[in-house]
Amino acid sequence: MGVVTLDQVEGQIARGFRYLHFSPEIEELFRKDYAAERVRLAAIWGVIGIFIYDLVYFGDHTMLPDVFAGLFTVRFLVFTPFVIACILAVRRWPDARLYDVLAMAIAVLGVTLPMAVATQSTSPYLFVYQNGNSAAFLFFVIALRPRFLAVVSGLALMCASHFTTTHLTGAFDDVTYSGIITFYLTLSIFLAVSAYFLEQKDRQNFLNQLRGSLLCQQLERNAERDELTGLLNRRSLARIGGMLWNEAPGNTAISAILLDIDHFKRFNDVHGHIEGDACIRAVSQCIRSTVDEAAFVFRFGGEEILVLAPGREPLQALAMAERIRTAIEGLRLPHRGLTDGCVTASLGAATAIAVDTTLERLLQKADDALYEAKRMGRNTVVLAKEAEPDAQVA
């Protein structure tokens, strides 16, 4: 779902989908959802379909006793194994196109097999017997529910098969045969129209669910993002900190880099708060683009920004902090309240083994290092001294 945006989904809803097709990205998601749903129900409908189909065994025996052996063979030794193989195939390869093709194959075979055997029968009950194929038409569209184009193709093939085999029986006069054709064509038209609206409703429901899912994701992202900078906010710090501490292996080092824009109050006094906000945004974007993707960047408060980086040793954390300091200085943001006229930042870095400390203690060490950097004249990086493991942590 990462390749589909909320705007794309809302645009698709606004445009509609008269021809039962979405934009390529959304259509790909729909096909996957469709295949997963059909595969989930394939075994259930397969068992039900086989049971009903084979239950006609009793009708075969009473209505077409002269070809009963052939009917027994096609029902139990041909159709039943074929359906089981189809179920196994779609579960092994869950694909929308494969499901549609196999659903059509099951439907056409289900109609063709008994009627092909019936062409050799002289039973007076052939008219009643051929009516049983209407159940196969209904099962194909209502239970198997392939996509609309597969429904139309399948119904056309089923009609062609049924009309051919009923004609080959030679049991029907022209009036009766035309009545059979009219009945099955009418049934097919109604089923095709129903299939169109069923798929349209399925697609509408899919779009609504996709939109709802994307809205929830957007709300979750917004709840954890600082509105001004787009960085993670303090609300997300507890969740991500807990994740790092709970999921990190016992000997994993986690580094915290806390930075403060130098003389930012003076910047606001001279430039104003609008430019102050622009300065924070520029510095935030600079930090985000400087650190690697494994690092988490938070707006810690005001002009303070926090970087949490798992798997970093002290010297690696120091090198990352120095890259950040250099990148911020390289922005050359004007600061008319300073002699050198350039925005800079002071940084404190600290590293600890996850099992030996807590997030709060790590942040305190980074904060102490930050204030040491300020005392040293700002625009510098200080690495906190490694402390002994906390005695309370076993």
Side-chain angles (χ1 to χ4, degrees):
M1 189 156 49
V3 298
V4 175
T5 66
L6 182 60
D7 288 342
Q8 286 177 302
V9 174
E10 291 183 335
Q12 184 69 72
I13 292 174
R15 291 192 305 272
F17 41 92
R18 181 182 303 175
Y19 300 109
L20 300 181
H21 196 275
F22 299 138
S23 63
E25 297 85 359
I26 300 177
E27 184 67 22
E28 178 64 24
L29 288 183
F30 174 75
R31 285 198 297 266
K32 291 180 180 178
D33 182 79
Y34 164 86
E37 178 65 17
R38 295 300 185 271
V39 168
R40 185 178 66 85
L41 298 174
I44 297 173
W45 283 122
V47 171
I48 294 174
I50 290 172
F51 175 76
I52 296 173
Y53 194 80
D54 290 344
L55 195 62
V56 183
Y57 162 88
F58 297 103
D60 294 342
H61 188 270
T62 56
M63 287 189 285
L64 276 68
D66 55 339
V67 292
F68 175 71
L71 291 171
F72 180 90
T73 299
V74 297
R75 288 191 188 280
F76 291 95
L77 302 182
V78 178
F79 184 78
T80 297
F82 179 76
V83 173
I84 293 173
C86 289
I87 294 171
L88 295 176
V90 296
R91 290 176 70 87
R92 176 64 178 83
W93 300 287
D95 177 77
R97 186 175 290 107
L98 176 64
Y99 177 85
D100 287 348
V101 170
L102 293 181
M104 290 170 54
I106 289 171
V108 173
L109 199 64
V111 166
T112 303
L113 288 176
M115 287 305 298
V117 176
T119 59
Q120 307 300 316
S121 176
T122 58
S123 171
Y125 301 110
L126 280 172
F127 179 79
V128 177
Y129 188 80
Q130 64 83 30
N131 281 336
N133 267 344
S134 59
F137 281 65
L138 294 169
F139 187 83
F140 171 58
V141 175
I142 297 173
L144 297 183
R145 288 185 66 183
R147 289 175 293 176
F148 177 69
L149 290 179
V151 167
V152 173
S153 301
L155 289 174
L157 292 172
M158 293 167 76
C159 283
S161 172
H162 188 70
F163 297 158
T164 300
T165 52
T166 52
H167 179 72
L168 290 175
T169 63
F172 309 113
D173 57 36
D174 291 343
V175 174
T176 303
Y177 184 65
S178 64
I180 292 172
I181 292 176
T182 301
F183 171 76
Y184 279 96
L185 285 178
T186 303
L187 176 65
S188 297
I189 291 171
F190 281 133
L191 289 175
V193 172
S194 299
Y196 175 86
F197 288 109
L198 278 173
E199 183 172 338
Q200 189 178 58
K201 182 60 68 175
D202 284 346
R203 286 176 174 269
Q204 185 66 57
N205 290 338
F206 172 77
L207 282 180
N208 291 336
Q209 291 171 3
L210 183 58
R211 180 176 181 272
S213 177
L214 290 171
L215 279 172
C216 287
Q217 291 181 17
Q218 185 180 76
L219 288 173
E220 289 175 358
R221 286 195 300 270
N222 290 343
E224 293 198 342
R225 294 283 171 179
D226 174 63
E227 186 175 357
L228 175 64
T229 63
L231 300 180
L232 295 165
N233 58 23
R234 289 291 292 268
R235 176 181 295 179
S236 62
L237 179 58
R239 179 185 65 81
I240 293 174
M243 177 189 71
L244 292 177
W245 257 255
N246 292 331
E247 296 181 2
N251 61 347
T252 298
I254 299 178
S255 296
I257 300 171
L258 194 60
L259 67 90
D260 190 41
I261 299 176
D262 293 330
H263 301 292
F264 188 72
K265 181 179 183 305
R266 191 182 306 174
F267 184 98
N268 273 336
D269 291 341
V270 174
H271 293 263
H273 289 281
I274 301 299
E275 289 194 36
D277 288 346
C279 174
I280 292 177
R281 279 195 298 268
V283 169
S284 299
Q285 292 169 7
C286 176
I287 296 169
R288 182 64 270 181
S289 62
T290 302
V291 301
D292 55 49
E293 293 184 357
F296 300 90
V297 186
F298 305 82
R299 186 181 182 192
F300 197 64
E303 71 276 15
E304 285 188 321
I305 296 172
L306 168 68
V307 178
L308 281 182
R312 297 295 186 280
E313 298 299 328
L315 292 181
Q316 293 174 316
L318 179 63
M320 180 184 293
E322 182 59 30
R323 288 199 306 272
I324 294 172
R325 187 201 66 78
T326 303
I328 293 172
E329 187 176 30
L331 291 175
R332 306 302 298 174
L333 295 176
H335 192 327
R336 296 192 298 270
L338 299 179
T339 303
D340 58 10
C342 175
V343 170
T344 60
S346 301
L347 300 92
T351 300
I353 303 299
V355 296
D356 291 339
T357 191
T358 63
L359 173 62
E360 291 74 16
R361 293 188 178 96
L362 180 62
L363 294 181
Q364 185 60 58
K365 288 172 61 179
D367 191 53
D368 292 342
L370 169 61
Y371 277 94
E372 179 63 24
K374 290 182 177 181
R375 284 192 293 269
M376 293 174 61
R378 293 184 168 84
N379 191 25
T380 190
V381 176
V382 169
L383 177 64
K385 295 181 181 179
E386 292 190 57
E388 293 296 324
D390 295 328
Q392 296 179 349
V393 180

